[in-house]
Amino acid sequence: MALIVKKFGGSSVANAECLKRVAWTIAESYSEGNNVVVVLSAQADTTDELISKAFELNDTPSKREMDVLLSTGEQASVALMAITLEKLGLPAVSLTGWQIGMNTDSAYGSARIKSVATERMKAELDRRRIVLVAGFQGVNKYDDITTIGRGGSDTTAVAVAVALNADLCQIYTDVDGIYTADPRLVKNAKKLDEITYDEMIELAAQGAQVLHSRSVEMAKRYGVEMEVLSSLKREPGTKVRGVNKVEHTKISGVAKDANLARVSIIGIRDEPGVAFKIFRVIANAKKNIDIILQSANNNSANDISFTVAREDLVSVVEILEENKSIIGFSEIKTSDNIAKVSIVGAGMMSAPGIAAAMFEALYDVKVNIEMIATSEIKISVLVNENDADRAVSALHEKFFD
Ligand code: ASP
Ligand code: MG
């Protein structure tokens, strides 16, 4: 007997048919004698529809009221699942974030989880009930409803697993695991049996949109084993854990992130403090920077280029223009026609020649590299957006075929 947390995403609970299918999956695990806690997302598209409804009425709705509104999607899901399980004769109870004591800070729309109470959930499990927890939502110190950011139900599931000291946190979704590349893009992408937390964090950050990256960071910090699996197929998925059991392959995956833009600041002085001023004003505005490149032009002037999320491009340029006299530069150039392509692998550290092989594969398909960034477990290149898919395929072929 184990304590298992299962999370089902919006597409897995989209309609009556899906709810019934998921109910059977839950019933099976429960009948094997396990204690089962289920975290659900809002039914497919519900969150987006609620957002549109609000914006039809007011294009600057308050964040507090948006959280009250959006949290209803998950509340509906858990109630519907409880009703489905009731029909199967199974004891289940649905609970909101407030009822389980999912305490967060007060940053409406992107709240951070501070603590999770366990009394209520444990009491229900002791009664042999299936506990259904509304994902994505919490409550702050004012007893107001908060939400923890789009896609946040994965993080709710891991937080619940940590609090209850669960044996396993299974994330059911519409893909059947983590692949060596996006299977829609690369035909012979292979499903991985397992992957380390660090690799998964890199792949998630690189745009492999399977898991909320905060959920993996939390799982790593507390050593919770995760598994990503399909809610449609009855087969094992991909385990996400600390150290791979199998001997490590060099590369675990190839990822693409096209949600990027590049900013180049031209003609800055070559003296101490300039980079500091640039990145301080951007950090003060709470905008994230990714790859940074400084190039020396001539004796007195430099350029600095960096990437930001595409939706931040306009505001980052505004911030820089406002601070032009403090920073000192001649002009700003931008491009949103770029994408980042990365190879990720914990085995890369001890394998020389990976970078050379990567650049060779890109050269073979005539893809020009605009910027490069590396870490212990990844190499990323910035390329023209139109070349990105070709680059992913070439890299996958190089490292996996
Ligand atoms: N329903 C929320 C969203 O769409 C949270 C989630 O699905 O994880 O972002
Ligand atoms: Mg999701």
Side-chain angles (χ1 to χ4, degrees):
M1 194 194 90
L3 199 169
I4 302 177
V5 176
K6 292 177 183 288
K7 181 260 172 178
F8 296 88
S11 55
S12 306
V13 294
N15 51 40
E17 195 194 324
C18 296
L19 282 160
K20 285 184 206 163
R21 186 184 306 117
V22 167
W24 281 108
T25 306
I26 297 169
E28 189 177 63
S29 182
Y30 175 82
S31 324
E32 285 165 4
N34 297 310
N35 280 326
V36 183
V37 178
V38 177
V39 175
L40 298 181
S41 291
Q43 291 183 288
D45 302 328
T46 301
T47 308
D48 289 331
E49 283 162 15
L50 290 170
I51 292 172
S52 324
K53 280 187 186 170
F55 279 80
E56 263 171 43
L57 299 163
N58 177 350
D59 54 17
T60 52
S62 75
K63 291 189 161 182
R64 180 193 182 279
E65 298 310 331
M66 283 307 287
D67 280 4
V68 175
L69 179 66
L70 297 190
S71 66
T72 62
E74 273 69 14
Q75 185 168 335
S77 287
V78 287
L80 289 169
M81 183 57 77
I83 290 165
T84 313
L85 290 166
E86 252 169 36
K87 175 80 180 168
L88 296 178
L90 291 164
V93 59
S94 63
L95 298 170
T96 64
W98 175 77
Q99 285 174 299
I100 67 159
M102 173 64 68
N103 298 302
T104 73
D105 67 16
S106 292
Y108 298 108
S110 56
R112 310 290 293 196
I113 296 170
K114 292 170 77 174
S115 65
V116 188
T118 55
E119 293 81 6
R120 179 71 192 265
M121 287 190 287
K122 279 186 176 154
E124 301 292 355
L125 290 171
D126 285 346
R127 274 179 227 145
R128 275 298 283 158
R129 281 176 159 173
I130 296 165
V131 176
L132 304 167
V133 173
F136 174 60
Q137 58 178 265
V139 60
N140 67 16
K141 63 180 176 195
Y142 309 111
D143 282 344
D144 280 342
I145 295 171
T146 55
T147 65
I148 64 172
R150 296 304 306 269
S153 298
D154 293 347
T155 301
T156 302
V158 174
V160 165
V162 170
L164 293 172
N165 197 13
D167 299 291
L168 180 62
C169 180
Q170 295 178 306
I171 309 284
Y172 289 82
T173 170
D174 50 5
V175 298
D176 51 8
I178 309 295
Y179 277 75
T180 51
D182 185 341
R184 286 166 304 184
L185 219 74
V186 178
K187 285 238 159 49
N188 47 354
K190 289 190 272 289
K191 191 174 84 186
L192 296 162
D193 293 331
E194 53 184 34
I195 185 170
T196 64
Y197 296 120
D198 288 327
E199 289 170 320
M200 190 62 233
I201 290 166
E202 282 297 345
L203 284 178
Q206 302 312 318
Q209 286 147 345
V210 184
L211 286 176
H212 200 223
S213 33
R214 261 166 71 191
S215 72
V216 189
E217 282 159 18
M218 189 183 291
K220 178 189 174 189
R221 189 154 2 108
Y222 297 97
V224 174
E225 183 164 318
M226 294 176 87
E227 182 179 13
V228 178
L229 65 178
S230 162
S231 59
L232 299 172
K233 298 185 194 161
R234 303 173 143 266
E235 33 183 72
T238 302
K239 292 263 168 70
V240 187
R241 55 187 166 207
V243 185
N244 279 12
K245 282 191 183 150
V246 288
E247 166 131 49
H248 217 299
T249 48
K250 289 171 200 148
I251 304 296
S252 306
V254 182
K256 169 184 109 168
D257 181 1
N259 178 30
L260 278 183
R262 184 184 49 210
V263 178
S264 299
I265 310 178
I266 313 293
I268 49 175
R269 287 183 305 279
D270 189 10
E271 63 184 36
V274 176
F276 161 65
K277 285 174 196 158
I278 292 171
F279 293 109
R280 170 52 62 206
V281 294
I282 296 170
N284 285 348
K286 294 214 162 33
K287 301 296 178 199
N288 281 323
I289 300 291
D290 190 17
I291 304 179
I292 302 175
L293 184 82
Q294 167 164 300
S295 55
N297 265 356
N298 55 46
N299 299 337
S300 56
N302 281 344
D303 300 341
I304 282 186
S305 297
F306 55 87
T307 59
V308 294
R310 218 167 261 186
E311 65 266 18
D312 288 341
L313 177 61
V314 173
S315 52
V316 166
V317 171
E318 268 171 26
I319 295 159
L320 292 169
E321 292 289 357
E322 278 163 23
N323 290 279
K324 187 168 184 175
S325 57
I326 305 170
I327 300 166
F329 56 84
S330 50
E331 72 176 306
I332 292 178
K333 289 185 182 162
T334 62
S335 158
D336 60 5
N337 188 25
I338 54 159
K340 183 170 66 171
V341 174
S342 309
I343 56 172
V344 174
M348 153 182 327
M349 277 186 276
S350 52
I354 300 281
M358 178 180 193
F359 303 150
E360 182 183 33
L362 296 173
Y363 166 69
D364 286 344
V365 292
K366 301 280 171 295
V367 170
N368 188 42
I369 301 171
E370 301 188 15
M371 280 161 109
I372 302 172
T374 65
S375 80
E376 280 189 327
I377 66 161
K378 73 145 201 243
I379 305 175
S380 301
V381 294
L382 218 59
V383 301
N384 187 296
E385 191 180 1
N386 304 325
D387 291 339
D389 290 353
R390 209 149 41 87
V392 170
S393 299
L395 292 171
H396 194 272
E397 201 173 308
K398 184 89 178 176
F399 290 104
F400 294 100
D401 284 350

